[in-house]
């Protein structure tokens, strides 16, 4: 029997599990390695933050897909892969052998040289942790306990989340809604988009009172502040880190072929 191991519960593996469930092959055993029992669909995350969807509507049940595909589920993440031994060493100590390995673990937050991100910011990845952090911040806003919220990252994801947060805060806290700002090291928000698009978002942000601070690379996140270049500090009650993606370190540590950023080649 051939052993197929699906490492991670990302978008691709959702489709693989569904396809296996549609056409079961008795000659193949399937194991899914995932630290969570669901996949939160990132495309719906801003809508969830804005309050348009409940979280359940944005989540795919990995356990149910695995049962339908008769797959074994290992509730853990990978610490290392041994290509020579054809084994995945999991964080919980379990070792999973494979004949064919498919990797769909996504990314982690890119923090660069910024200090204090892990201790004082809510990162967009992993999504489960982001959801927990967002719920805590939203609860504080409902109680009127927030004055300002900072989003670090001026790409499309950061800007979209900032607008979604501003919308939700206004819905939940009214006149007591905290100020939302975007901090980015680029000279302007969404530099990959045409000038007309950037201009439109700039005007919308100004109309809504969302602060846009280009040319402001964050050097440190602390309890109650975000520090940018030249030691300028912004007071903040919560900081969300949406500043790009980095590869999980186990890929390179495993000796797998990676590109210059550490992602699988």
């Amino acid at each position: 029997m051939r052993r197929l191991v699906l490492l991670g519960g990302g978008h691709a593996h959702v489709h693989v599990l569904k396809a296996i469930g549609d056409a079961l092959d008795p000659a193949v055993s399937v194991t899914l390695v995932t630290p969570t029992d669901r996949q939160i669909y990132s495309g719906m995350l801003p809508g969830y933050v804005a309050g348009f969807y409940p979280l359940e509507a944005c989540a795919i049940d990995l356990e149910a897909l695995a049962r339908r595909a008769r797959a074994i589920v290992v509730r853990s993440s990978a610490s290392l892969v041994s290509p020579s031994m054809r084994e995945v060493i999991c964080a919980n100590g379990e070792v999973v052998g494979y004949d064919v390995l498919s990797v769909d673990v996504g990314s982690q937050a890119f923090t660069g040289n910024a200090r204090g991100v892990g201790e004082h910011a809510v990162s967009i990845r992993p999504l489960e942790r982001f959801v927990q952090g967002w719920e805590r911040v939203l609860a504080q806003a409902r109680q009127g306990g927030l004055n300002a919220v900072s989003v670090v990252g001026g790409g499309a994801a950061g800007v979209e989340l900032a607008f979604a947060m501003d919308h939700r805060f206004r819905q939940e806290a009214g006149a007591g809604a905290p100020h939302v700002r975007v901090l980015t090291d680029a000279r302007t928000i969404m530099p990959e988009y045409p000038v007309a698009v950037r201009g439109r978002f700039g005007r919308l942000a100004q109309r809504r009172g969302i602060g846009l601070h280009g040319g402001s690379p964050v050097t440190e996140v602390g309890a109650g502040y975000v520090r940018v270049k030249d030691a300028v500090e912004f007071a903040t009650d919560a900081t969300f880190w949406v500043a790009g993606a980095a590869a999980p370190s186990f890929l390179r540590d495993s000796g797998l072929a990676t590109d210059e950023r550490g992602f699988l080649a």
Side-chain angles (χ1 to χ4, degrees), residues 40 42 106-109 122-130 241 244-245:
I40 298 173
S42 57
S107 59
Q108 59 190 36
V122 178
S123 293
I124 188 69
R125 301 280 181 180
L127 293 182
E128 287 283 353
R129 200 172 302 164
F130 169 83
W241 195 268

Side-chain angles (χ1 to χ4, degrees), residues 147-155 158-163 165-166 169-170 178-184 186-190 201-216 234-236:
N147 293 314
V149 171
S150 300
V151 177
V152 180
V159 171
E160 188 176 11
L161 274 175
F163 272 85
M165 288 175 181
D166 178 73
F169 288 146
R170 290 171 184 271
H179 171 62
V180 177
R181 69 172 65 92
V182 177
L183 303 169
T184 176
R187 292 179 60 189
T188 178
I189 61 165
M190 305 192 308
F201 269 96
R203 291 189 295 274
L204 287 170
Q206 187 174 30
R207 192 181 309 161
R208 296 191 66 89
I210 297 173
L212 301 179
H213 302 272
S216 300
F234 291 89
T236 186

Side-chain angles (χ1 to χ4, degrees), residues 3-210:
R3 301 167 299 168
L4 169 64
V5 171
L6 305 176
L7 183 53
H11 299 348
H13 285 171
V14 165
H15 291 282
V16 171
L17 285 168
K18 183 181 183 303
I20 291 171
D22 290 340
L24 293 170
D25 185 346
V28 177
S29 71
V30 182
T31 300
L32 172 67
V33 179
T34 173
T36 60
D37 59 3
R38 64 183 179 182
Q39 181 212 120
I40 298 173
Y41 177 51
S42 57
M44 293 176 72
L45 194 69
Y48 152 72
V49 168
F52 301 147
Y53 319 118
L55 185 61
E56 311 83 70
C58 310
I60 298 169
D61 190 337
L62 295 174
E63 293 272 3
L65 281 172
R67 283 195 302 272
R68 186 168 173 271
R70 298 181 185 173
I72 299 167
V73 178
V74 176
R75 286 292 299 275
S76 187
S77 54
S79 292
L80 203 65
V81 173
S82 173
S84 60
M85 299 295 292
R86 292 185 174 270
E87 291 177 341
V88 176
I89 297 89
C90 300
N92 65 358
E94 192 166 344
V95 177
V96 181
Y98 66 86
D99 295 301
V100 177
L101 175 67
S102 180
V103 181
D104 187 18
V105 294
S107 59
Q108 59 190 36
F110 176 76
T111 59
N113 297 319
R115 301 184 299 275
V117 178
E119 296 83 3
H120 301 291
V122 178
S123 293
I124 188 69
R125 301 280 181 180
L127 293 182
E128 287 283 353
R129 200 172 302 164
F130 169 83
V131 166
Q132 294 169 9
W134 166 245
E135 292 290 349
R136 288 195 303 270
V137 171
L138 183 60
Q140 287 179 266
R142 287 172 177 148
Q143 296 166 9
L146 297 181
N147 293 314
V149 171
S150 300
V151 177
V152 180
V159 171
E160 188 176 11
L161 274 175
F163 272 85
M165 288 175 181
D166 178 73
H167 175 83
R168 187 67 175 277
F169 288 146
R170 290 171 184 271
Q171 293 290 315
E172 300 281 350
H179 171 62
V180 177
R181 69 172 65 92
V182 177
L183 303 169
T184 176
D185 56 357
R187 292 179 60 189
T188 178
I189 61 165
M190 305 192 308
E192 69 276 24
Y193 282 80
V195 172
V197 174
R198 299 200 302 268
R200 184 175 183 185
F201 269 96
R203 291 189 295 274
L204 287 170
Q206 187 174 30
R207 192 181 309 161
R208 296 191 66 89
I210 297 173

